[in-house]
Amino acid sequence: MFKHWLHIVIVIAGWILANVCASAPAPRYLSPSARAPLYAEQPWPKNSFLVLAYHDVEDNAADQRYLSVRTSALNDQFAWLHVNGYHPISVQQVLDAHAGKSVLPPKAVLLTFDDGYSSFITRVLPLLKSYQWHALWAPVGIWVDAPANVPIDFGGLKTPRDKFATWQMVREASQSSLVEIGAHTWASHYGQQANPQGSREPAAANRGFNDATGQYETDSQFEQRMTADLMHISRKITEVTGHSPRAWVWPYGAASGTTLRLAKQQGYQMAFTLNQGLANAANLDNIPRMLITGNPSLREFADQVAQVREPESMRVMHIDLDYVYDKNPAQQRKNIDALIQRVFDMHITHVFLQAYADPKGDGNVQALYFPNRWLPMRADLFNFVAWQLQTRAAVSVYAWMPVLAFNLDASVPRVMAWSPGAGRTAPDSRHYGRLSPWSPVARKRINDIYEDLARHASFQGILFHDDAFLTDYEDASPAALDAYRAAGFPHDIAQIRANPLLLERWTRFKSRALIDFTEQLTQTVRSIRGPQVKTARNIYAMPVLEPKSETWFAQNLNDFLGTYDWTAPMAMPLMEDISPKDANDWLDRLVGRVARYPGAMEKTVFELQARNWRKGAGQDGISDEMLIGWMQQLRLSGAKNYGYYPDDFINDQPRMAEIRPAFSSYWYPQK
């Protein structure tokens, strides 16, 4: 990935770096008193609310096969919420706040109960009535519809029929003004095979894979299946309660943009996941919930509630699927197991997982790791590894994808560079080979690729690669020149570059064009995978340190912070020709530049290098001590989120035993 570099930028910017390093102040140390206060100590955000996700309630043992809590524990938790000033609210209050009719009280909390257990009637409803609190109850239709005295198949577990409610119980609950009946699907609360390797993924959010035919479920088949499910549960709830359901609760918290669209067509107005954080009435398509599991003690429950507002520290490993792939299936499986174990043992939060093949390391993508319409598939591997990482290593996975560097057939227009000396245009071989972002053909095919990724994989976010840049001589392709002229620029790059004001406006035009394109790709992914998908984008160090260098990159830090969930500066001093002795000063300045923007540190993840690409193969290792020192400097400078690239999990580089104390959020939590 990063061993490719922009040689022209080094020439242009070298003197800037040298001068700045020479006058760099000593690294800053932010004392605890100078750091931002905890979110829990700040005022409750307007119209925000905490959602608690309960399941079964039992008098005796809390069976975790059903995510049960004991009745006594639930009573204690309700009492704690009351004593500590939390205000349980109704679904209607949330909808009214969304419509601007009212404002939610501070410390608002919405109580939800999933699956449709009979304990809601026998144990929960009496408590609700005693407190006069509201709750959302979302049953699974097929479990509540089961015949009397017939055991229910609960994910392969034979469960006594009376553990689940009846429709008469649902009707009884709905007649109370305290209970809103939502939907948890009719019969889609299960996992189905979702790839050739056999991963079982939530059926309501993922297209199935048929082993017999070797084919994935088509868009039409998936939509027909989920439409039938939605219509069935919606009709039944309406029949039983007299009211159309308004709240959709995702099984396993796994959302789908396609299913969400179908749910809205059936009249649903809110959708609940199991993502972290506070919900807000402004966004009802992606409502996070705090899952109550493990029958927590009151202290554990209180700690969970108190911490829900605090953003999680991000610790990222960049993983190349090229390291995982092997023609020998047995060896490939060993590689996958080694990767999962290493990520699990590292105790991190996120993996940026390569979804494309780049065995040469030149960044010019000629194959992908998922089925698609326009490039060869090296192996149908991304979804399987991503799912393994999510379920076995308990991390969030971002699909690491190029924006422009797809090596499609020659008919698709490329980014062209204007040569002032020769007066001609041609692709610049010193940089990634990129498709022109102004070509309708290129944009359509890239969008198709992202669409295919979303169809065939489960992931939490997208990382837009560092190939989304344009130099001050690019793009000079015919489509780009036409776009410039339409925007009021001369149809001639020489004229634009000769006028400083035009050059500045042209730079901003290109920066925004790249952002607009990534936003289009984001919308494409979210329309299929769901609104919960987050975005991150790599930015080179120079546009952060020296904003005027936007001219050479068409990248702008302020734009990135306002557009993406995460901005990922390439905090790689050796790649910038910074000497090891000056690297900490350089990192401190990089963090300091980001910190100038209000709230920027909460949405910036600094990416360190674990290899020195300026040295030849076999000589490019970076010592664990140096990498640890950089991590420590980032923290001293106030950075909360960081990661590194690449991770060679096969050869234990960097060595986990050495770097984990400085890297893992588990060992050194940053709050």
Side-chain angles (χ1 to χ4, degrees):
M1 165 185 171
F2 297 117
K3 70 181 180 181
H4 168 83
W5 185 233
L6 306 178
H7 302 287
I8 192 171
V9 172
I10 295 173
V11 174
I12 297 173
W15 68 272
I16 296 176
L17 290 171
N19 290 335
V20 174
C21 286
S23 60
R28 297 172 298 108
Y29 169 71
L30 292 180
S31 66
S33 61
R35 300 179 185 182
L38 296 175
Y39 276 75
E41 299 172 352
Q42 300 177 24
W44 191 266
K46 181 182 177 181
N47 277 337
S48 291
F49 57 105
L50 167 67
V51 187
L52 301 180
Y54 292 95
H55 288 77
D56 193 20
V57 180
E58 297 182 286
D59 287 341
N60 299 310
D63 192 337
Q64 290 311 293
R65 294 176 298 178
Y66 307 98
L67 300 182
S68 300
V69 298
R70 296 182 68 180
T71 308
S72 58
L74 182 67
N75 199 7
D76 289 344
Q77 291 163 16
F78 277 20
W80 185 90
L81 291 170
H82 176 70
V83 170
N84 286 276
Y86 286 86
H87 299 280
I89 57 174
S90 67
V91 164
Q92 187 60 54
Q93 285 177 274
V94 175
L95 293 173
D96 287 345
H98 179 74
K101 298 178 180 179
S102 62
V103 177
L104 296 178
K107 302 179 78 171
V109 59
L110 180 63
L111 306 172
T112 69
F113 294 82
D114 293 1
D115 293 355
Y117 298 100
S118 58
S119 62
F120 184 85
I121 295 295
T122 60
R123 300 181 178 96
V124 178
L125 190 55
L127 274 176
L128 295 175
K129 289 179 178 179
S130 68
Y131 281 97
Q132 285 297 290
W133 285 358
H134 295 268
L136 168 67
W137 190 24
V140 174
I142 196 172
W143 296 339
V144 178
D145 202 59
N149 302 317
V150 177
I152 291 173
D153 183 358
F154 182 78
L157 178 66
K158 294 299 181 182
T159 301
R161 174 62 184 87
D162 62 2
K163 193 170 188 63
F164 286 90
T166 64
W167 288 119
Q168 177 56 39
M169 291 178 176
V170 173
R171 181 177 291 109
E172 176 187 341
S174 72
Q175 291 171 348
S176 166
S177 60
L178 301 175
V179 180
E180 177 94 14
I181 305 299
H184 206 27
T185 75
W186 177 261
S188 297
H189 199 305
Y190 66 94
Q192 67 174 353
Q193 184 172 344
N195 53 46
Q197 296 87 351
S199 298
R200 303 194 69 80
E201 302 179 14
N206 296 281
R207 289 153 177 77
F209 180 83
N210 189 320
D211 255 341
T213 64
Q215 299 294 316
Y216 285 91
E217 200 173 11
T218 66
D219 288 356
S220 175
Q221 291 168 334
F222 179 75
E223 291 191 18
Q224 287 178 13
R225 173 167 65 84
M226 289 311 304
T227 297
D229 188 289
L230 281 155
M231 292 178 66
H232 198 161
I233 186 65
S234 302
R235 282 197 303 263
K236 189 64 178 182
I237 291 175
T238 303
E239 173 192 323
V240 170
T241 68
H243 304 285
S244 299
R246 304 182 290 182
W248 177 257
V249 181
W250 293 106
Y252 316 104
S256 158
T258 303
T259 304
L260 180 62
R261 170 174 54 81
L262 299 174
K264 287 184 173 183
Q265 292 173 3
Q266 296 296 320
Y268 291 90
Q269 301 176 50
M270 46 201 321
F272 294 82
T273 68
L274 289 174
N275 295 333
Q276 296 180 333
L278 284 183
N280 192 280
N283 179 14
L284 301 186
D285 289 349
N286 180 26
I287 302 175
R289 297 191 295 165
M290 190 181 95
L291 178 63
I292 308 300
T293 183
N295 190 39
S297 68
L298 188 59
R299 177 182 290 275
E300 291 169 335
F301 175 81
D303 286 344
Q304 281 184 276
V305 172
Q307 292 292 319
V308 76
R309 295 173 61 189
E310 299 299 325
E312 183 183 33
S313 296
M314 184 185 264
R315 297 288 185 272
V316 184
M317 294 166 67
H318 259 274
I319 303 296
D320 280 352
L321 270 181
D322 294 327
Y323 288 12
V324 175
Y325 171 79
D326 198 287
K327 291 181 179 180
N328 182 338
Q331 183 59 52
Q332 182 171 279
R333 187 58 195 239
K334 289 180 180 179
N335 292 346
I336 294 171
D337 288 343
L339 169 63
I340 303 303
Q341 189 65 55
R342 180 174 171 87
V343 172
F344 177 83
D345 290 341
M346 195 72 83
H347 290 291
I348 59 166
T349 62
H350 291 70
V351 166
F352 291 168
L353 183 64
Q354 178 191 33
Y356 60 93
D358 183 23
K360 296 181 179 179
D362 61 6
N364 298 310
V365 178
Q366 302 188 38
L368 300 167
Y369 283 113
F370 55 89
N372 71 96
R373 281 164 276 184
W374 296 112
L375 284 173
M377 181 175 68
R378 194 181 195 196
D380 192 349
L381 190 59
F382 177 81
N383 183 46
F384 178 66
V385 176
W387 186 250
Q388 292 286 299
L389 285 165
Q390 293 167 63
T391 55
R392 293 171 59 193
V395 295
S396 295
V397 175
Y398 281 39
W400 166 23
M401 284 283 287
V403 178
L404 301 173
F406 297 97
N407 193 16
L408 301 181
D409 64 82
S411 66
V412 184
R414 266 58 175 177
V415 168
M416 308 289 281
W418 173 70
S419 174
R424 61 182 180 85
T425 60
D428 192 331
S429 60
R430 296 171 298 179
H431 309 320
Y432 296 115
R434 290 149 289 149
L435 303 178
S436 173
W438 284 280
S439 163
V441 174
R443 292 174 69 96
K444 176 64 168 62
R445 294 197 184 183
I446 295 169
N447 192 78
D448 289 347
I449 289 172
Y450 274 76
E451 193 174 69
D452 292 336
L453 170 68
R455 283 195 182 98
H456 295 102
S458 173
F459 49 89
Q460 286 72 49
I462 289 282
L463 170 69
F464 294 114
H465 187 32
D466 65 356
D467 66 313
F469 70 89
L470 294 165
T471 74
D472 53 334
Y473 294 92
E474 296 172 333
D475 179 10
S477 67
L481 295 176
D482 289 344
Y484 305 154
R485 182 165 54 189
F489 295 99
H491 199 255
D492 187 323
I493 289 181
Q495 292 185 42
I496 297 174
R497 288 182 50 83
N499 185 322
L501 293 178
L502 275 179
L503 178 61
E504 182 179 356
R505 189 161 68 87
W506 181 53
T507 296
R508 295 296 301 137
F509 178 76
K510 292 191 294 180
S511 294
R512 289 305 315 177
L514 291 173
I515 285 176
D516 290 346
F517 185 42
T518 61
E519 288 190 299
Q520 174 191 324
L521 298 175
T522 298
Q523 184 54 44
T524 294
V525 171
R526 286 175 175 167
S527 68
I528 295 174
R529 284 254 56 91
Q532 78 286 350
V533 174
K534 295 187 178 297
T535 57
R537 184 175 166 191
N538 283 133
I539 186 171
Y540 290 109
M542 282 302 298
V544 177
L545 291 168
E546 178 52 60
K548 290 184 178 180
S549 67
E550 180 183 358
T551 305
W552 312 319
F553 296 88
Q555 294 180 349
N556 180 284
L557 177 60
N558 192 48
D559 287 350
F560 279 35
L561 292 170
T563 302
Y564 308 104
D565 295 294
W566 292 96
T567 297
M570 296 160 60
M572 303 180 179
L574 303 184
M575 196 170 72
E576 299 282 356
D577 254 352
I578 305 299
S579 68
K581 68 180 180 64
D582 294 324
N584 281 355
D585 290 351
W586 184 87
L587 288 170
D588 184 65
R589 287 191 298 105
L590 187 69
V591 175
R593 287 285 186 179
V594 173
R596 294 182 181 184
Y597 296 84
M601 298 300 283
E602 302 294 347
K603 48 188 313 184
T604 302
V605 53
F606 297 89
E607 295 200 76
L608 298 166
Q609 61 186 113
R611 189 172 292 170
N612 185 0
W613 295 282
R614 294 190 175 279
K615 295 185 177 181
Q619 307 294 319
D620 57 356
I622 288 177
S623 71
D624 299 325
E625 292 75 19
M626 183 177 291
L627 186 58
I628 291 168
W630 293 344
M631 292 176 179
Q632 292 172 339
Q633 181 58 58
L634 289 176
R635 294 203 307 273
L636 287 172
S637 298
K640 301 179 180 180
N641 313 291
Y642 51 87
Y644 67 88
Y645 172 84
D647 183 84
D648 185 352
F649 57 91
I650 294 176
N651 297 303
D652 190 27
Q653 296 295 326
R655 289 177 296 171
M656 181 173 61
E658 297 297 323
I659 72 162
R660 184 167 60 178
F663 181 49
S664 169
S665 60
Y666 175 83
W667 291 93
Y668 284 83
Q670 305 292 306
K671 296 293 186 185

